[in-house]
Amino acid sequence: MNRTRVRQALEAESGMDHMTLCGWVRTKRDAKGFSFLELNDGSCLKNIQVIIDEGIPGFETLPDINTGASVKVEGSLVESPGKGQKWEVRAQSIELIGFADPETFPLQKKRHSDEFLRTIAHLRPRTNKYGAITRIRSELSYAIHTYFRDKDFFYIHSPVITGSDCEGAGEMFTVSGFDFDNIPMQEGKVDFSQDFFGKRASLTVSGQLSAENMATALGDVYTFGPTFRAENSNTPRHAAEFWMLEPEMAFADLNDDMDLGEECTKYLINHVREHCRDDLEIFGRFVDKSLFATLDNIVDNDFVRLPYGEAIEILKKAKAKFEYPVEFGLDLQTEHERYLTEKHFKKPVAVYDYPKEIKAFYMRLNDDNRTVAAVDILVPRIGELIGGSQREERLDVLDMRIKELGLNMDEYWWYRDLRHFGTVPHAGFGMGFERLLMLITGVSNIRDVISFPRTVNHLEF
Amino acid sequence: MNRTRVRQALEAESGMDHMTLCGWVRTKRDAKGFSFLELNDGSCLKNIQVIIDEGIPGFETLPDINTGASVKVEGSLVESPGKGQKWEVRAQSIELIGFADPETFPLQKKRHSDEFLRTIAHLRPRTNKYGAITRIRSELSYAIHTYFRDKDFFYIHSPVITGSDCEGAGEMFTVSGFDFDNIPMQEGKVDFSQDFFGKRASLTVSGQLSAENMATALGDVYTFGPTFRAENSNTPRHAAEFWMLEPEMAFADLNDDMDLGEECTKYLINHVREHCRDDLEIFGRFVDKSLFATLDNIVDNDFVRLPYGEAIEILKKAKAKFEYPVEFGLDLQTEHERYLTEKHFKKPVAVYDYPKEIKAFYMRLNDDNRTVAAVDILVPRIGELIGGSQREERLDVLDMRIKELGLNMDEYWWYRDLRHFGTVPHAGFGMGFERLLMLITGVSNIRDVISFPRTVNHLEF
């Protein structure tokens, strides 16, 4: 159907004699001889005001046109005498497409709690807030692609179904083609050799190993796709399915990695601020009053670069009371990360060179033999936004680490091969896409930046 | 590391006194007093020629610099006296970064079979063909995002883990958080109520239902992400994991859907032809001599729009011998589809209005009560590229279809709700991303357009 989007109408340079608008009614007000409709079609945050004069075709259906109903309006775009809007529509006809019973339609004009809206995740994108999040999510994804393409990175699709376990830890979901009424057993154990892939399969926790592989052929690459954790943690920060951005650069070290993380974060925030002004505005007004100050702080400051050892010293001297102990060799908890970035430095901090004992096998061993070239980038309000490292490109050192950690050497045959044939220094990081969205919108629960969140005991929609 | 990409060097406007290049050696030739290296860094198909004069720093390592080795070259970019190349590099120094043993490195300069290269999927992106496919895949993804964003579609991420089964059929993988050594049972059956999500979970076969949902709030949306089939079919066209593009439009009918499918297909082909000339060239030369004629045919012709009933008539009259029967009420097989598009019309064909018995429950019932507003877009060499439909937006008709097909009404409560509150006509389609890649490159096996393909009994890398 040849329809004008509300966004196009609101941004029009001049009036239009005739246009077709379709959308959903947000509110209706009746006056003497005419009615006002506020119409929204999802193309932008704002509604357009439609004047329905008594007697136009379809006017008689107006009693059935209530909040939530879908309508088609033919009319002209004219200057609005009202405040805060340049244009309004004077309807020539109106047609009710889909009725919404005012007795049962849940999104009447009042504020609903986030908790309630999660139970109607299929309807919440019709609200201002969730419509805005969805549009921002879309634009932020686009910004990722333009940023990396402009820098000559190639987008690769790392597989979701995997036979290996990138982190050498992590709770993974099993993927199976079995008929569960009839699982083949062998000596009292499930016989995965008879499963679809001939062995046990899982959902990936990271596309990193694939990205490393492709970087050693294409140079600079990135993945952007869903990743999974079967962690039984019911927190506002954890979901079983979430998207991750994972760039990987060949011929790069930890400094290049930190440079990329900083530049990329700033670019993405700037892009959304520029392209999603209206949508972002409501988060600054209704969700987090300090939102724009937080974003300014990130964009305007050079990120601090702080060795882990110095971070520990700062935390030890801190007057703050921490729940978890601070000691060289222990991982930083969110409370420590937030102290560093929010209280001590008051800006983003890249903490690097972590003790090898608390990091993964693939991170490059530093010359001190006790730390690895890992970096976590911490930002206010979120804590860790980015986790990355230079990867171990020396086969002998990699093998030593695989053995130390008791991993299965055979499973990594192809990963080791990359070090066997023309190995190169390379580095990359992972950025949780939802964390970035939470940072940019100020939304504090991951369930509210994913359209249909998957968490423990929640698999609706 | 501040390095110049090979692509940048080859496209340079003028020479450079000093630059750093990193990459992998494709070939080495020794001459009197100097050597030639062909260097590739994955940024483009072409290599750059590097002249290594006797005596420059690192020259003594040249015996160890063989095909597959990674090197760092400092040098100047100068005009090349050689044929077919504008620029070459005169090295000021060379450094061996990563050795590749010529005795064991599998990618020596000779042609390898696709079958062999699949067994070294971690190394094949270092070949011309697979490097090119990876770059084309990246650029094609980007084209999808620019096309839909320019048309005001929003990108949504439909969940991979699902509790429902979109097609009402289809073999799905089960996703489980169970400890498989200890699966909880209840009356002899697996007790999924004790699983991570409190019920049985699967990998999605389509993001359509989510896309429909978001379209009824945002207007026009699309998904682009991984989808899954646990089909035990070992063919060149099937993979267990593949990417799908699924646009969905509100206030749209089947004609809008066909318009979008045709325009989108042409746009994507044109984009790749324009932006991936070199990479595409090798497929036209070495993989399918008729490739560019096929692509021209698609781009230059209006797609035929043919009711299914007429398609059946044409096929019945055809002189061709078909393996599968042709009868109104039976689905078209690939041989029929290819006959229509390759032999009869010799251009793309959109076949629409299929008998309801062979299509899914959500497709809109036509007034004849026996067909539904479904469309398959068929293209030469591939057959079905796009499958779409106008969706049933009338709750009473939808309910009737759900009952007819014996589906579980309760599972679709939220999907039905979309028809209950402000329902709108809407339409969309799915396009297999790998099929499109196969069409554009002429590659005939899906395993060769996915970096790490997942098929029956194959889960390596």
Side-chain angles (χ1 to χ4, degrees), chain A residues 1 24 70 95-99 126, chain B residues 208 212 216 248-254 360-367 372-373 389-402 414-427:
Chain A
M1 189 186 299
W24 292 269
S70 54
E95 182 190 328
L96 171 61
I97 297 177
F99 176 71
R126 298 191 199 179
Chain B
Q208 180 196 315
E212 281 190 61
T216 63
E248 189 75 31
M249 299 175 285
F251 309 105
D253 62 18
L254 192 67
F361 75 95
Y362 51 72
M363 299 186 177
R364 193 178 196 276
L365 191 63
N366 287 326
D367 291 345
V372 289
S389 66
Q390 184 171 346
R391 321 305 188 182
E392 186 55 75
E393 89 281 15
R394 298 161 298 185
L395 186 57
D396 54 341
V397 185
L398 182 71
D399 283 353
M400 191 184 73
R401 293 283 289 150
I402 289 178
W414 59 269
Y415 188 74
R416 296 177 60 247
D417 248 13
L418 305 178
R419 280 73 182 164
H420 200 79
F421 300 118
T423 189
V424 298
H426 60 291

Side-chain angles (χ1 to χ4, degrees), chain B residues 13 22 25 32 40 48 105 119-120 129 134 140 156 158 180 195 197 202 256 269 304 332 349 394 401-402 439:
Chain B
E13 296 286 323
C22 296
V25 173
K32 199 174 152 59
N40 189 289
I48 197 161
F105 184 59
T119 68
I120 51 167
K129 181 171 162 186
T134 311
L140 187 58
I156 61 158
S158 51
F180 272 69
D195 205 349
F197 295 108
S202 308
D256 298 315
I269 292 173
V304 175
L332 300 184
V349 184
R394 298 161 298 185
R401 293 283 289 150
I402 289 178
L439 174 69

Side-chain angles (χ1 to χ4, degrees), chain A residues 1 3 5 7-8 22-24 41-43 68-70 97-100 104-106 119 122-123 125-126 131 134-135 137-139 141-142 145-146 149 152 154-163 173-178 180-181 183 189-190 192 195-201 203 210 213-220 224 226 228-232 240-241 243 250-251 256 271 275 413-414 417-418 420-425 433 451-452 454-461, chain B residues 1 3 5 7-8 22-24 41-43 68-70 97-100 104-106 119 122-123 125-126 131 134-135 137-139 141-142 145-146 149 152 154-163 173-178 180-181 183 189-190 192 195-201 203 210 213-220 224 226 228 230-232 240-241 243 250-251 256 271 275 413-414 417-418 420-425 433 451-452 454-461:
Chain A
M1 189 186 299
R3 66 184 173 101
R5 304 292 185 277
R7 188 177 68 72
Q8 294 164 335
C22 295
W24 292 269
D41 69 358
S43 63
S70 54
I97 297 177
F99 176 71
T104 54
F105 184 61
T119 68
H122 61 311
L123 298 176
R126 298 191 199 179
T134 312
R135 285 185 295 270
R137 193 175 166 113
S138 172
E139 189 61 27
S141 302
Y142 184 74
H145 292 301
T146 48
R149 183 172 179 269
D152 284 320
F154 298 104
Y155 180 32
I156 62 158
H157 297 137
S158 51
V160 164
I161 304 176
T162 179
F173 287 105
T174 299
V175 173
S176 171
F178 280 146
F180 272 69
D181 289 336
I183 300 178
K189 297 231 172 209
V190 173
F192 284 108
D195 206 349
F196 189 92
F197 294 108
K199 62 178 182 177
R200 188 167 186 162
L203 290 181
S210 301
N213 188 342
M214 300 312 279
T216 62
L218 277 291
D220 297 332
F224 179 49
F228 307 85
R229 295 279 155 85
E231 265 179 294
N232 200 332
E241 175 175 347
W243 277 56
F251 309 103
D256 298 316
H271 182 101
H275 289 88
W413 70 271
W414 59 269
D417 249 11
L418 305 178
H420 200 79
F421 300 118
T423 189
V424 297
F433 183 63
S451 297
F452 308 106
R454 273 68 176 107
T455 55
V456 181
N457 285 321
H458 285 91
L459 183 62
E460 205 53 78
F461 309 105
Chain B
M1 189 187 297
R3 65 183 173 104
R5 304 293 184 277
R7 189 177 67 72
Q8 294 163 338
C22 296
W24 293 267
D41 69 359
S43 63
S70 55
I97 297 177
F99 176 71
T104 54
F105 184 59
T119 68
H122 61 311
L123 298 176
R126 298 191 198 178
T134 311
R135 284 184 295 270
R137 192 173 169 117
S138 172
E139 189 61 27
S141 302
Y142 184 74
H145 292 301
T146 49
R149 182 171 179 269
D152 284 319
F154 298 104
Y155 180 32
I156 61 158
H157 297 137
S158 51
V160 163
I161 303 177
T162 180
F173 287 105
T174 299
V175 173
S176 172
F178 281 145
F180 272 69
D181 288 337
I183 300 177
K189 298 229 172 211
V190 172
F192 284 107
D195 205 349
F196 188 92
F197 295 108
K199 62 178 181 178
R200 187 166 186 163
L203 289 182
S210 301
N213 187 342
M214 301 312 279
T216 63
L218 278 289
D220 298 332
F224 179 49
F228 307 84
E231 265 178 294
N232 200 331
E241 175 174 349
W243 277 57
F251 309 105
D256 298 315
H271 182 101
H275 290 86
W413 70 271
W414 59 269
D417 248 13
L418 305 178
H420 200 79
F421 300 118
T423 189
V424 298
F433 182 63
S451 298
F452 308 105
R454 272 66 177 107
T455 56
V456 180
N457 284 322
H458 285 92
L459 183 63
E460 205 51 79
F461 306 104

Side-chain angles (χ1 to χ4, degrees), chain B residues 4 6 28 50 53 60 77 104 129 142 151 166 190-191 220 246 276 288 349 367 369 377 390 401 416 460:
Chain B
T4 301
V6 168
K28 179 177 70 170
V50 182
D53 285 312
E60 70 284 0
L77 187 71
T104 54
K129 181 171 162 186
Y142 184 74
K151 290 181 81 77
C166 169
V190 172
D191 183 8
D220 298 332
E246 295 179 277
C276 306
D288 176 4
V349 184
D367 291 345
N369 239 332
I377 296 185
Q390 184 171 346
R401 293 283 289 150
R416 296 177 60 247
E460 205 51 79

Side-chain angles (χ1 to χ4, degrees), chain A residues 135-346:
Chain A
R135 285 185 295 270
I136 290 171
R137 193 175 166 113
S138 172
E139 189 61 27
L140 187 57
S141 302
Y142 184 74
I144 286 173
H145 292 301
T146 48
Y147 174 76
F148 283 104
R149 183 172 179 269
D150 286 352
K151 290 180 81 77
D152 284 320
F153 282 62
F154 298 104
Y155 180 32
I156 62 158
H157 297 137
S158 51
V160 164
I161 304 176
T162 179
S164 73
D165 172 350
C166 169
E167 300 282 336
E171 312 243 13
M172 298 177 87
F173 287 105
T174 299
V175 173
S176 171
F178 280 146
D179 169 6
F180 272 69
D181 289 336
N182 211 344
I183 300 178
M185 306 291 285
Q186 177 83 4
E187 295 173 9
K189 297 231 172 209
V190 173
D191 182 9
F192 284 108
S193 75
Q194 293 188 49
D195 206 349
F196 189 92
F197 294 108
K199 62 178 182 177
R200 188 167 186 162
S202 308
L203 290 181
T204 188
V205 296
S206 162
Q208 179 196 315
L209 301 198
S210 301
E212 281 189 61
N213 188 342
M214 300 312 279
T216 62
L218 277 291
D220 297 332
V221 302
Y222 68 105
T223 73
F224 179 49
T227 48
F228 307 85
R229 295 279 155 85
E231 265 179 294
N232 200 332
S233 45
N234 214 338
T235 82
R237 296 158 49 95
H238 290 88
E241 175 175 347
F242 54 98
W243 277 56
M244 195 127 80
L245 163 67
E246 296 179 276
E248 189 76 30
M249 299 175 285
F251 309 103
D253 62 18
L254 193 67
N255 278 317
D256 298 316
D257 212 29
M258 291 194 269
D259 288 346
L260 184 75
E262 177 169 349
E263 186 190 78
C264 169
T265 302
K266 289 176 173 176
Y267 175 96
L268 295 175
I269 292 173
N270 280 330
H271 182 101
V272 170
R273 291 195 71 168
E274 188 179 332
H275 289 88
C276 306
R277 277 174 205 278
D278 286 350
D279 283 326
L280 210 50
E281 184 73 24
I282 61 169
F283 295 95
R285 282 173 64 191
F286 300 115
V287 174
D288 177 2
K289 299 270 185 217
S290 64
L291 179 63
F292 294 114
T294 303
L295 298 181
D296 284 342
N297 175 285
I298 295 171
V299 166
D300 294 341
N301 280 300
D302 289 337
F303 291 12
V304 176
R305 299 195 181 182
L306 182 74
Y308 165 89
E310 291 180 26
I312 293 296
E313 291 311 310
I314 291 169
L315 290 167
K316 278 190 164 171
K317 287 184 202 136
K319 298 228 165 60
K321 279 212 173 134
F322 297 122
E323 195 181 334
Y324 292 89
V326 172
E327 202 66 55
F328 193 101
L330 296 181
D331 211 353
L332 301 184
Q333 302 297 323
T334 302
E335 58 176 346
H336 308 135
E337 295 172 342
R338 294 188 63 168
Y339 176 84
L340 290 171
T341 179
E342 291 173 4
K343 297 273 164 38
H344 189 84
F345 290 105
K346 298 188 171 60

